[in-house]
Amino acid sequence: MDEYINCFGCGSKSLNIDGETHEYMLSSTGCWIMFCEVLEREYSDFNYAKAHHYTVDAYTTQHVGNENDVRAINSVNIHLASLYMMFERNLDIIDAADFKMNFSQFYKGSGDLVWLEPPISFGNLTIYELWDNNNPELHFSLAEKWAKSVWNSWEKHHQTISRLANNFLNKK
Ligand SMILES: [Zn+2]
């Protein structure tokens, strides 16, 4: 059996193992496991922790799930909006949690968050590069590069996300 396969969600080199995955953020099992292991590092070590929102936003927007699942649709919109705020509006990464919570509350049940057809390619970085790196000094910059490259890959929806984020900022 091959040690690695490509994740059908993000294309990442991922561990070839069987098991459960996230309910609507669909991925290969190995990709999900690598994500969980990276989160464990971020929860247990301050040097890793500061990159947390980059990791979560990048991973979520590389695993779009099913277009009929409203949880998947909301999730992609919310995490893309967070990437927009961090990369285009200079939102500090530590404020991303509040932004996501308030943005999500604002649009809850509104019907304004819709399925966004994903790009053909999500860029050339994935969870694999983060998972494979054991140098805490490099973790943050790798996560930032990954998040930025995922945000760029969604270019055809940048206007939509910017409109949603600005509508929220103007009316909140
Ligand atoms: Zn994946």
Side-chain angles (χ1 to χ4, degrees), residues 7 10 12 27 31 59 63:
C7 172
C10 67
S12 173
S27 71
C31 186
Y59 190 84
H63 296 89

Side-chain angles (χ1 to χ4, degrees), residues 101-116:
M101 194 176 65
N102 294 329
F103 179 91
S104 158
Q105 276 301 115
F106 180 79
Y107 282 111
K108 196 173 182 181
S110 68
D112 289 341
L113 305 185
V114 298
W115 171 255
L116 303 171

Side-chain angles (χ1 to χ4, degrees), residues 33-81:
I33 300 277
M34 295 191 302
F35 176 59
C36 293
E37 289 182 8
V38 169
L39 291 188
E40 268 171 44
R41 284 177 217 165
E42 292 182 348
Y43 292 141
S44 58
D45 182 334
F46 176 77
N47 290 307
Y48 286 94
K50 48 192 179 180
H52 184 62
H53 290 290
Y54 287 148
T55 304
V56 173
D57 291 346
Y59 190 84
T60 305
T61 53
Q62 279 188 332
H63 296 89
V64 297
N66 186 318
E67 68 179 291
N68 299 313
D69 190 330
V70 72
R71 297 168 304 175
I73 293 169
N74 288 345
S75 169
V76 168
N77 275 272
I78 292 162
H79 291 278
L80 280 177

Side-chain angles (χ1 to χ4, degrees), residues 5-37 58-66 69 72 76 122 126-128 146:
I5 54 167
N6 289 328
C7 172
F8 66 84
C10 67
S12 173
K13 178 177 174 182
S14 71
L15 296 168
N16 186 9
I17 41 181
D18 286 332
E20 297 193 351
T21 60
H22 190 265
E23 214 178 324
Y24 57 84
M25 209 157 51
L26 307 179
S27 71
S28 72
T29 301
C31 186
W32 173 245
I33 300 277
M34 295 191 302
F35 176 59
C36 293
E37 289 182 8
Y59 190 84
T60 305
T61 53
Q62 279 188 332
H63 296 89
V64 297
N66 186 318
D69 190 330
V76 168
F122 288 114
T126 64
I127 188 66
Y128 179 82
W146 175 32

Side-chain angles (χ1 to χ4, degrees), residues 127-155:
I127 188 66
Y128 179 82
E129 282 74 24
L130 235 62
W131 177 80
D132 194 43
N133 165 55
N134 292 309
N135 179 348
E137 311 272 302
L138 282 180
H139 182 79
F140 186 85
S141 61
L142 268 175
E144 186 179 34
K145 263 189 220 141
W146 175 32
K148 181 88 205 227
S149 105
V150 182
W151 167 245
N152 288 339
S153 79
W154 280 91
E155 192 185 356

